[in-house]
Amino acid sequence: MRKSAKTLFAAIALLGCIGARPAIAAFPDKPITMIVPFPPGGPTDAVARVAANKAGQLLGQQIVVENRAGAAGAIGASAIARARPDGYTVGLATVSTHGTAPHLYADLAYDPIKDFTPLSNLAGSPNILSVHPDFPAKTLKEFAGIIKSNPGKYSYANAGAGGVNDLGMIWFLQEMGGSMVSVPYRGSAPALTDTIGGTIPVIFDNYPSSLPYIQSGRLRALAITGTERNPQLPSLPTFQEEGYKDYNVTSWYGLVAPAGLPADVTQTLSRVFADAVNDPETAQKLAEAGAFPIGNTSDEFSVQIERELNLWRDVIQKGNFKLQ
């Protein structure tokens, strides 16, 4: 009897100790780092900061944006992939990092599928084909006629070899059946400078950076990507309206985490960031940055990444495109 009592008291004491342990803190209980694989001030950085600000409010934790630029986004993407999969390091994925780069670089330090947990595609931005005002074409149909009649005569400016602007134009030329000379620059700013200056007659560029020059008349826009016309350029037709039904190059800005992220953390981050970008005030700020909210689910974004990989693989292989 005495031994049984001692055993009972010991068990009660053990239960008391277990009950006294602090509860595990709910995620997140400390700041989150968001890696942006491009420099400050660009469209990717702008979308990241707008989304991070609102998502941080919803989570009750600060989200610190950290820019790790270089190698067309590969340096930052690699850092995201190598981080601990606990939800405290996330980052931005783009067409470049998860659509085109895997087909362009044999020594890429990450796998766009195996090394990441897709969370949500936060936002997208259209692209615009524009010409210098002296260029003879005033419509996309006229442009196509001139280019097809003069193979290899005209050049176009783009923000970087192998980037979405370069490959997007290559894809359009494949659809159109024409050829042009690609002139890559280190970013949209110098490419636009030479186009509005008349050095290069044509540019395929992201909507936010081209818009001011189109509105001022220093560029003539011929068509915009997307399924609907842009409210700030209501008279500008889409490529699809002009007959290119399968052509749509959208620059997108998605949120990813390292592979192996716990399911509950994945669901929390996916839901909160989707809610953040679709908040009316946040959506307005995205619009001011030239983007529109998407905020899809983790599964939907995963399917989209695989679709983009297949799309750009076909464009690159068909064009026999190689980085010099």
Side-chain angles (χ1 to χ4, degrees):
M1 177 68 70
R2 186 175 299 174
K3 184 176 181 180
S4 299
K6 288 182 178 180
T7 303
L8 178 60
F9 291 144
I12 292 172
L14 178 60
L15 288 172
C17 290
I18 293 174
R21 290 178 183 174
I24 297 174
F27 174 85
D29 64 346
K30 61 181 180 179
I32 294 172
T33 297
M34 178 189 286
I35 295 175
V36 176
F38 296 95
T44 308
D45 182 67
V47 169
R49 292 178 186 276
V50 169
N53 182 60
K54 184 61 179 180
Q57 294 175 14
L58 296 176
L59 287 168
Q61 285 290 344
Q62 183 182 16
I63 299 178
V64 181
V65 175
E66 182 179 310
N67 297 88
R68 295 198 194 181
I75 291 176
S78 298
I80 300 166
R82 293 194 304 268
R84 180 178 296 178
D86 56 7
Y88 291 100
T89 300
V90 297
L92 266 284
T94 67
V95 179
S96 296
T97 63
H98 282 65
T100 62
H103 304 301
L104 296 173
Y105 302 99
D107 57 348
L108 202 63
Y110 62 88
D111 184 296
I113 300 296
K114 296 178 181 178
D115 292 340
F116 298 90
T117 300
L119 297 173
S120 178
N121 189 6
L122 303 179
S125 182
N127 293 278
I128 299 180
L129 176 64
S130 302
V131 296
H132 186 273
D134 290 342
F135 193 81
K138 290 182 170 57
T139 67
L140 190 63
K141 184 177 180 179
E142 292 175 356
F143 177 85
I146 292 170
I147 297 303
K148 287 192 284 188
S149 300
N150 298 275
K153 176 181 177 180
Y154 293 99
S155 58
Y156 68 92
N158 63 77
V164 65
N165 301 129
D166 191 16
L167 293 172
M169 188 65 183
I170 289 173
W171 182 16
F172 174 60
L173 291 169
Q174 291 173 357
E175 294 285 310
M176 185 181 73
S179 64
M180 297 180 70
V181 177
S182 171
V183 182
Y185 289 81
R186 292 183 179 273
S188 289
L192 284 162
T193 296
D194 275 7
T195 308
I196 63 178
T199 304
I200 304 291
V202 179
I203 186 168
F204 185 75
D205 189 43
N206 195 250
Y207 161 81
S209 48
S210 291
L211 182 62
Y213 302 103
I214 295 169
Q215 291 177 324
S216 67
R218 302 176 75 182
L219 286 176
R220 180 190 300 130
L222 301 180
I224 188 169
T225 63
T227 58
E228 298 178 353
R229 294 195 181 197
N230 188 281
Q232 289 188 278
L233 298 169
S235 63
L236 181 64
T238 66
F239 282 89
Q240 295 183 357
E241 284 182 86
E242 295 293 289
Y244 299 93
K245 302 297 184 183
D246 298 324
Y247 181 76
N248 187 14
V249 181
T250 299
S251 298
W252 46 266
Y253 314 98
L255 188 72
V256 295
L261 194 68
D264 58 335
V265 177
T266 297
Q267 292 170 4
T268 295
L269 290 172
S270 178
R271 174 181 52 79
V272 167
F273 272 90
D275 289 345
V277 296
N278 283 294
D279 169 78
E281 183 179 352
T282 305
Q284 178 58 38
K285 291 179 180 178
L286 288 173
E288 292 169 0
F292 55 87
I294 298 175
N296 58 11
T297 67
S298 174
D299 289 341
E300 289 169 340
F301 188 29
S302 179
V303 170
Q304 181 184 355
I305 290 173
E306 292 197 36
R307 185 172 64 244
E308 290 277 324
L309 281 167
N310 292 334
L311 185 159
W312 293 111
R313 178 200 61 212
D314 294 345
V315 169
I316 290 166
Q317 289 180 351
K318 183 177 180 180
N320 195 28
F321 182 86
K322 291 181 174 62
L323 290 174
Q324 302 298 322

